[in-house]
Amino acid sequence: MCQSPMREFLQGLPKCEHHVHLEGTLEPELIFELAARHGITLPEDPVYTSVETLKKRYEHFSNLDDFLHFYFEGMAVLREEQDFADLAWAYFQKAHADGVHHAEVFFDPQVHESRGVAYNTIVDGFTKGCKRAESELGLSTKLILCFVRHLPVASAQELYDEMVAHKSFENGTVHGLGWSSSEVGPPKDMFRDIYASAAKKNIPLTAHAGEEGDPTYISTALELGAQRIDHGIRLIEDEELMKRVAREGILLTVCPLSNVRLRCVKSVKEVPIRKFLEAGVKFSINSDDPAYFGGYILDNYYAVQEAFNLNVLEWKIIAENSVQESWIEDSRKAEILESIEAHVKKYMHTIAA
């Protein structure tokens, strides 16, 4: 995919991932394994005949909502704390192999709670996976609770109240809040009251916006207090808003392969990577729902390199911005930045900068 020196450079480049849904790392193999573990009968749809037929179907999503159908169907096999721990651990192993040093991962409690899984089962399971990644792989991790836009606001409010009651933010279990799921259709500001309350508690906020929706979805998210934007590729349609995002140092968590698989763009070449670099817009490169979109974070790095032929110094900017805008303590940022500097120096003489 990339010429050999750049491929090796990108593999070893220290990375931060900010936009990956743990439920979106649920590989078909694990779906079938967990279904067998719990005696769950998978849907009669022929695509669930085998791992291979399910993977093949994932190659042909027509849009975001088509993907979401399979996304929510698949996670129905997650029932017990160990299921959530196994899922997180499987992702972290892949992330570590791809050069990830820090991961801020989304999870969707509403969907699990709607089928009777307790809040503590979900959070404790994912936390168990995070702690294992930290102790065995040396990753730093943060859990970001995501509200889903296809369910009523009342459902999100109940979850938020539950999170507050469990003191999940105060005890460090949950580090931030976000929203995801269907973008176009539900009210742009449907979580206004929840975000206002969270902001008063100094909880970091992010939001999916500007994937399928126009730039007003981005500006609304910022108005509600979002400190970064997940996806955000349609920012380029509003020059003034793009200047604001660059000026305020707001991070976009871009997911190139996801954008292609969900038909937001025809190819990675249409993702505005070069335009964002030229405009001074900070962004990180992420995998979103890699089990469904055919690529984890390194695959996304390779795809961007193939499409834009970035040089070592441009990758250094991307990597450093991703660290600087992570929701981690300064000491951990310094460690990762030092690793990036050392890695870049190692390759500066072998790859033209």
Side-chain angles (χ1 to χ4, degrees):
M1 183 175 286
C2 308
Q3 67 269 31
S4 182
M6 282 301 294
R7 188 179 184 88
E8 183 179 301
F9 167 77
L10 291 174
Q11 197 285 325
L13 182 65
K15 305 170 185 69
C16 295
E17 181 145 44
H18 307 107
H19 188 156
V20 59
H21 300 263
L22 286 175
E23 291 91 347
T25 69
L26 182 57
E27 294 285 351
E29 290 87 350
L30 189 54
I31 289 177
F32 279 80
E33 178 185 330
L34 293 178
R37 179 186 297 181
H38 298 301
I40 297 170
T41 301
L42 293 172
E44 295 183 3
D45 190 319
V47 302
Y48 287 96
T49 301
S50 67
V51 167
E52 291 70 27
T53 55
L54 191 54
K55 284 186 174 181
K56 194 68 177 176
R57 177 61 176 83
Y58 290 172
E59 297 176 6
H60 303 287
F61 296 126
S62 57
N63 53 36
L64 177 60
D65 286 335
D66 182 30
F67 150 67
L68 289 172
H69 167 77
F70 286 93
Y71 175 72
F72 294 127
E73 192 77 67
M75 68 172 71
V77 299
L78 298 165
R79 298 290 179 87
E80 300 175 353
E81 180 180 311
Q82 192 59 46
D83 301 339
F84 294 95
D86 289 346
L87 175 59
W89 175 240
Y91 158 72
F92 286 125
Q93 290 179 89
K94 293 183 177 70
H96 180 256
D98 279 359
V100 172
H101 286 222
H102 174 67
E104 298 177 3
V105 294
F106 295 125
F107 69 112
D108 302 332
Q110 280 168 274
V111 181
H112 305 299
E113 289 188 326
S114 69
R115 52 190 178 79
V117 181
Y119 177 83
N120 279 345
T121 297
I122 305 160
V123 175
D124 290 351
F126 281 145
T127 299
K128 185 177 179 180
C130 288
K131 289 182 177 178
R132 185 176 180 186
E134 292 169 359
S135 63
E136 296 187 28
L137 303 176
L139 272 70
S140 50
T141 69
K142 300 291 183 184
L143 281 174
I144 301 175
L145 186 155
C146 246
F147 302 113
V148 289
R149 287 169 52 82
H150 70 283
L151 292 179
V153 174
S155 169
Q157 185 66 55
E158 289 176 9
L159 173 60
Y160 177 71
D161 293 342
E162 192 169 17
M163 186 201 78
V164 171
H166 281 82
K167 299 187 181 298
S168 298
F169 178 67
E170 289 85 349
N171 64 28
T173 305
V174 172
H175 188 76
L177 298 177
W179 76 56
S180 62
S181 187
S182 303
E183 183 175 11
V184 178
K188 298 173 188 177
D189 66 343
M190 63 185 293
F191 301 124
R192 180 180 294 275
D193 292 342
I194 295 175
Y195 267 44
S197 174
K200 291 179 181 178
K201 301 178 187 299
N202 295 315
I203 299 176
L205 300 171
T206 186
H208 283 52
E211 178 186 14
E212 289 188 331
D214 63 49
T216 63
Y217 286 80
I218 298 173
S219 56
T220 300
L222 295 177
E223 177 202 341
L224 267 58
Q227 295 154 277
R228 66 187 184 209
I229 297 295
D230 303 309
H231 290 298
I233 58 172
R234 294 190 64 182
L235 177 66
I236 58 166
E237 298 172 17
D238 187 327
E239 186 175 346
E240 289 304 311
L241 184 59
M242 186 159 67
K243 288 179 181 177
R244 175 193 169 187
V245 167
R247 183 174 62 252
E248 296 181 7
I250 296 163
L251 186 77
L252 306 184
T253 66
V254 179
C255 306
L257 293 179
S258 167
N259 294 155
V260 174
R261 189 61 69 90
L262 294 184
R263 305 192 181 189
C264 298
V265 296
K266 293 180 180 179
S267 72
V268 174
K269 290 182 179 180
E270 293 182 14
V271 179
I273 296 295
R274 180 72 66 184
K275 293 179 181 178
F276 286 158
L277 279 170
E278 292 171 350
V281 172
K282 293 182 177 182
F283 63 89
S284 60
I285 294 170
N286 309 271
S287 62
D288 199 1
D289 300 284
Y292 296 86
F293 300 148
Y296 284 78
I297 191 169
L298 184 57
D299 299 304
N300 280 271
Y301 273 60
Y302 286 159
V304 168
Q305 179 59 22
E306 182 177 11
F308 297 99
N309 192 31
L310 303 181
N311 61 42
V312 170
L313 293 182
E314 288 169 327
W315 278 111
K316 183 173 184 280
I317 291 170
I318 294 169
E320 289 179 339
N321 285 342
S322 72
V323 175
Q324 290 162 351
E325 300 308 320
S326 291
W327 291 338
I328 46 176
E329 60 276 6
D330 289 343
S331 59
R332 178 57 176 156
K333 289 182 182 181
E335 291 175 0
I336 305 175
L337 288 170
E338 186 176 330
S339 297
I340 292 171
E341 185 69 30
H343 185 74
V344 169
K345 284 183 178 179
K346 177 182 176 182
Y347 282 89
M348 282 293 287
H349 300 298
T350 58
I351 306 173

